[in-house]
Amino acid sequence: MEGFWIGAVKYCGITAVAGFVGYTIYPQIIASPYLKNLTHTELFALLALIVIMVFGLCLALVNAGFRSSTGNNTVKIKGSIVHGNVQAGNNTTHEKNE
């Protein structure tokens, strides 16, 4: 459930930015003399395209900052008791335990 809230906060912020951009741009699209021949459906489709493109751009920017480098592992152990040795990582050599 923890991952759900992290994703919800991250993606709802992006959705809010895309919606705000669409909300501020839509009146300018309607008033544009270059687009006066478009129907209301075509204008709405243009708005939807702009909002989706802004959402995709923001999503790409946010995910670019969260990329982890390859070869690194993260191990999280919560509420566990470990007896013995714990090994984690990219161990390519296999040792025999005697």
Side-chain angles (χ1 to χ4, degrees), residues 2-20 51-52 54-67:
E2 179 180 325
F4 169 77
W5 290 112
I6 291 170
V9 169
K10 182 167 58 170
Y11 297 124
C12 285
I14 295 170
T15 305
V17 168
F20 180 74
V51 168
I52 290 170
V54 169
F55 179 80
L57 178 66
C58 290
L59 186 64
L61 290 173
V62 166
N63 285 336
F66 289 111
R67 298 222 187 258

Side-chain angles (χ1 to χ4, degrees), residues 2-94:
E2 179 180 325
F4 169 77
W5 290 112
I6 291 170
V9 169
K10 182 167 58 170
Y11 297 124
C12 285
I14 295 170
T15 305
V17 168
F20 180 74
V21 168
Y23 178 76
T24 55
I25 289 178
Y26 191 62
Q28 296 172 2
I29 290 173
I30 292 173
S32 174
Y34 301 108
L35 304 174
K36 66 181 179 180
N37 294 331
L38 296 179
T39 64
H40 291 289
T41 305
E42 292 170 340
L43 286 173
F44 185 74
L46 182 61
L47 169 71
L49 179 67
I50 290 170
V51 168
I52 290 170
M53 289 180 63
V54 169
F55 179 80
L57 178 66
C58 290
L59 186 64
L61 290 173
V62 166
N63 285 336
F66 289 111
R67 298 222 187 258
S68 61
S69 59
T70 58
N72 294 334
N73 291 328
T74 302
V75 177
K76 293 181 182 179
I77 300 173
K78 292 183 179 181
S80 297
I81 298 173
V82 178
H83 299 284
N85 296 329
V86 176
Q87 294 181 352
N90 295 334
N91 188 4
T92 57
T93 61
H94 301 287

